[in-house]
Amino acid sequence: MTPSTTPRATYRFQFHRDFTFADAEALVPYLDELGISHLYASPITTARSGSTHGYDVVDPTRINPELGGEPAFRSLVAALRARDMGVIIDIVPNHMGVAGGENGWWNEVLTHGEASEFARYFDIDWREKLVLPILGDPLAETIASGALKVEQVDGRYVLEAYGEHRLPLRDEDQASAATDDIAALIGRQHYRLASWRVANDELNWRRFFTINDLAGLRAEDPIVFDATHALYFRLYAEGLIDGVRVDHVDGLTDPAGYCQQLRARLDAIERPVGAPAWPAYIVIEKILADGEPLSTDWGVDGTSGYDFMEQVTALLHASGGAEPLAELWADISGRSADFAPEELRARQELLAWQFDAQHRRCVAAFVALARSTPDCDGLTRGMLHRAIERLLWVFPVYRTYGTGEAAPLADARIRDTVRQRVAEFVPPGEGAVVDRILGWLAGEGPGDVAFAAEAVRKFQQLSAPIAAKAVEDTAFYRYGRLLSRNDVGFDAARMSLDIDAFHAAMIERARDWPSAMLATATHDHKRGEDVRARLAVLSEIPDLWRSRAEHWFELAAPYADGVDPADTYTLLQTLFGAWPTNLRASNGEALSEYAERIVAWQEKALREAKLRSSWEAPDEAYETRCHDLARALLDAERSAAFLGDIMAFVDLVAPAAEANGLAQVALRYTVPGVPDLYQGTETADLSLVDPDNRRPVDYRARQEMLATASEPKVALIARLLALRRQYLALFAGGSYEPIAVTGPRAEHIIAFNRVHDGMAVRCVTALRSVGRYVGEVDASDWWADTALSSGETIADLLGTSAVSVVVLDAVAG
């Protein structure tokens, strides 16, 4: 059988050795019954042994044997094809895993250095030896400790470090390796062993963000592109996959060129009889800033959905909560009420610290460019360093591109924004240096073309990780106005999105990106979609929340000695937001399990914030005080009053939180795009940041809920997926037409039609409606005479529910 054309709806599985292709195959009937058209797989190529995510690929030419290998993958695909279903896979062109000695290409580079045929695969500066920052101490101390040994493996001598790393030795050293002085032997290699602490300052190869175990690939090289994509093209040619999701596209030298090449290569492949003949489905992991467009000439179907996740989450929040919640955060923490200072400080710190080596190499590239330009002899290294540094402090997007029909205009707007933002930081008289760099980024100005391309590349491949690590992995852990507004791809400075703006975004999506992915939960989210939906309620009741938070601070005081109030406050938000469904104080085992989940989140949050602790220098004494506080608050004997109060508050807002969650579901499955369902989130997703959001899923329970329609979220998803299956053309290509709403509660309703060929599906969804459930107004009277423009009242349409989706024979209203 032939799968549908563009995916109707995807289901994301995280594969690893404890959840294999065989496990997924057993769930194919469930996915089909739910209404899924395509399985969406995490990376399936061979990753480092024991990888829990698959992004540390060590061999992109083979399907991972830990997942069952190619035979098991073929069996899974056959089961899907038998039900008219397909497969989308996640691919990782930007980097490879290089730790543990399992990467054959990397080992060849270590063995033969720059002369290796694989040296060109990695982004290495060969003006010096390749730096390997894998030691716990300086080299001399490590040798003296005996942690480095020469061992023989498969007939060759290798250097073993700590019993964990196996490093190849040069061919020339094989004969004498067993008897050589180990310091002299190490000194002759093509790599320089060093302490892990030197990586930020001395690393001479591009890594993924700040992870020394992941080395950047040069996918712009045709040889590298072919080698790393051969398996994907073969799988597509054999009809085993239907498309790809491209991981971290902004890490590549030329994202637009890469995507265009990928599209051309896939479209040129002749598919076997029975496989879908339509173009491959291609989406990219791309973080779009507010107002940043995705160029329409990249040859992709859109992004993997973080932009929608931001839009729909912001829609659930009330703008009126922004100021009082910011004031509460400032009062408690003593930190800025606004996000901008936190972002600026994080960018400054990380650029000067974790990205110092990459920053200096970027500066060196611009120095070389300036020296190739006759009228730039007055630009010193110091001037260029300061200008690049300050530009990166304020850069509003991941990167610029300078290619494609839309990109030059978009890039020009970005450069104008940067010019305005950077002005206050530029030293007197050095504004012209900033202008010259911005000109080079635009592809303008004098200078050697090759030098210019290299300088721009290094800037673009630095601005992206700075945005990711400084904003999402640092500032988001420092700023606690409302944690539901701090997630991947979010604008933490913005509390909410109004209905008209959401409508405009969906109209644009229907026009430009009707097949882009729609996500509300991913393997990388910081809080589950229903955690965010519950926390969003607080934006509607900031005064009530302040009273509860202040009371909880009083109850926590006996256990909070030595804990920063800011950390206590983010803990309280997290305890409330992620509170498990039906958790009661009488269930000590469940409380203890929740406490350990919170402690794991807490450790990561504290270390990512880099204020009181860090991964590089953990303050275990401070972390222990924070963990003790969390465990005390979740101990029924010590904190009965706190537990009673937080459970009562969770119960109070539960109807509004559930309404938010169902609104999120309804929008994901009815607006233009391809809805994705992250594993297990068909029921309440109260997960925290990884690894919590990658815990095993109880599919037996979910199958039972689907069969009995006993859980509102699963039931709504199944009903909407049935509509998408029945009205495929309407949801795949139908227009998005807002419906006007009038009356006293109009700002609490979003309504629209999806229209195609005389048929319409109308969606009416309640928003920010805590007043229906909390307060003195009777819920049945809350809507008053609020109505659609057609005259139908919201009270009649919704009754006691949050969502109404109906099929209309003709467009009405």
Side-chain angles (χ1 to χ4, degrees), residues 527-528 530-532 534-535 572-581 583 594 597-598 650 685-688 692 695:
R527 286 159 201 90
D530 294 300
V531 176
R532 298 194 306 271
R534 186 185 288 166
L535 286 169
L572 294 176
Q573 284 192 58
T574 301
L575 288 172
F576 162 75
W579 191 269
T581 305
L583 177 61
Y594 185 40
R597 287 179 54 211
I598 291 294
V650 169
D685 175 19
L686 298 172
S687 62
L688 298 168
D692 194 71
R695 288 174 296 150

Side-chain angles (χ1 to χ4, degrees), residues 196 210 349-350 353-354 469-470 472-478 526 567 570 598-624 626-627 689:
W196 64 271
T210 58
E349 290 176 352
L350 266 68
W353 170 42
Q354 290 189 328
K469 294 302 294 183
E472 295 170 7
D473 288 345
T474 303
F476 277 8
Y477 286 98
R478 295 178 176 183
K526 300 189 185 303
D567 294 328
T570 56
I598 291 294
V599 163
W601 159 80
Q602 205 174 39
E603 178 183 270
K604 184 165 187 174
L606 290 169
R607 294 183 182 186
E608 294 285 11
K610 308 168 190 68
L611 294 173
R612 300 297 301 264
S613 191
S614 65
W615 296 108
E616 292 78 7
D619 186 336
E620 294 181 358
Y622 181 74
E623 289 179 0
T624 297
C626 293
H627 300 337
V689 71

Side-chain angles (χ1 to χ4, degrees), residues 81 253 286 303 330 413 481 566 650 789:
R81 295 295 194 224
T253 292
K286 170 78 180 88
T303 74
R413 289 197 296 265
R481 176 177 65 173
V650 169
S789 57

Side-chain angles (χ1 to χ4, degrees), residues 1-13 15 28 31-32 36-41 73 76-89 239-243 271 274-276 278 281:
M1 300 178 70
T2 301
S4 307
T5 54
T6 297
R8 187 177 66 247
T10 59
Y11 192 100
R12 169 75 178 209
F13 277 136
F15 286 106
V28 168
L31 298 185
D32 186 24
I36 299 299
S37 71
H38 284 70
L39 185 156
Y40 169 28
F73 182 70
L76 169 60
V77 173
L80 290 162
R81 295 295 194 224
R83 291 175 176 268
D84 198 18
M85 299 168 71
V87 184
I88 308 298
I89 64 169
L240 295 173
I241 64 172
D242 303 304
R271 302 268 276 169
W278 43 273
Y281 182 66

